[in-house]
Amino acid sequence: MIAVRTLGPVDVRVRGTAAPPELLWRKNLALLVYLARSPKRARTREHLIGMLWGDKSDDKARRSLNEALRELRRSTGDGSLESDNAQVRVTPDAVQLDIDRLEALAAAGDYAGAADLVHGEFLEGFSVPGASEFETWLAAEREHWRRRSVEVLVRRAEQLLANGNLTAANDMVRRARGLDWRPETAVRVGLRGLALAGDRAGALALFEEFTARLRRELGAEPDAETRALAERVRQERAWRLPGQVRQAAARGSGPQRGPLVGRAAELARLTDVWETCRTRTRGAVVVIEGDAGTGKTRLAEELAARARLDGAMVVGVRAVEADRADAWSGVFGIARGGLLEAPGVAGARPGALDQLRGRTPADAPGRALSEVLQAVAEEQPLLVFVDDAQWLDRESLLALGAAARDLAGAPALCVITAAPQPSRPELDELRARLGRQLSGTTVKVGSL
Ligand SMILES: Nc1ncnc2c1ncn2[C@@H]1O[C@H](COP(=O)(O)OP(=O)(O)O)[C@@H](O)[C@H]1O
Ligand SMILES: [Mg+2]
């Protein structure tokens, strides 16, 4: 069996050991790879001659093809190469290509494995001078595998971002952009990775550099999606977590904070819920549960930062012990915590807004909250961040549960952090509905 690495400088192994030099002769190698890439791994002799020996007389060309087939047969062993007067075919297990494996891994969602197979251009540095048909084919294959490799590397980078592994994600982006600087998917995941790592200047520099090159070399402008993302990164300096949530988060936030440690699985679950919520406009609730100091707020912030880059509005409140006895304090906290200033509030009923502003006696603040959240979620995706919900007043906890039901068809995610003590039946009840009447999940965080 022959194994060929095609992505990068070509490497050929025969039954695990280095290939004999004859097999590496240009036309032999070209024939081998070309056959393995052909439909059903078969071609007519006529076609192969046109591909590789088109510059020779008919007689000479036929002899050369036979020579080459003899060499392949010597290396692959009998039975792996079938030929008759008209056709040549390699059997499926005679030749193994890395790119077939890459497609199998990608189809199975194993982008880590697939990305490991990308070592460079298809048959990097290889050419068959004089065989113009083969060269044309090679150029098309290169273009195809360059695009495919970039796709795989970008998918892997996205997975790594969802796991919080920013360094590895940014490395992946660098590899992708080394293959091809043009795909904007790679630019966008690069922008996200740098911004999430706190390197806002680096992210904007990447965007500027990309834009300049695009103009210079292709006379084009970046996509609207890329421009919108860059704009969000630019705005992010002005943006702070609202009100009380900010104070809670300030201890461990900002570009100077260290990288997130050891929460890959938890963050991946959270981003997964967010992606579904945002892309399928399905409201959801996630509860992050753990003792004080285990990193609940930090984990929620990581998710909020991702949501911001996706263009979401983030509003929030942080409860403290005294709030528990203060009816509706949580609802009013969310109103003050960014909701009343959010784009889209004007779409809500004035009566509901007046209630949340405290201008009229609050006869039904819970319903008002639901209405205003819905209006804001019509304008853009929405993340409602409720920190330390174990201290939330009972009325607000119930109102959140009701709002979650009302927002089931909106791109709105409610992120609740809570310590297990004191235990709150309203919260237990909400959690019990997750995955049943309500989309969402509970993520438990233990000490690191
Ligand atoms: N996974 C983590 N990696 C790095 N630092 C963390 C992590 N989780 C928490 N921290 C830091 O530990 C401290 C406590 O985390 P915090 O999120 O406030 O805990 P909690 O909200 O559960 O009380 C903060 O300074 C935070 O930045
Ligand atoms: Mg906290």
Side-chain angles (χ1 to χ4, degrees), residues 283-285 370 373 399-409 412 414 430 433 438:
V285 177
S370 249
L373 288 174
L400 273 180
R405 189 191 52 222
D406 295 341
L407 286 153
C414 183
L430 180 65
R433 283 161 58 202
L438 278 180

Side-chain angles (χ1 to χ4, degrees), residues 289-304:
E289 196 187 64
D291 292 323
T294 47
K296 302 182 294 295
T297 302
R298 175 64 196 271
L299 188 58
E301 275 173 24
E302 289 285 333
L303 182 63

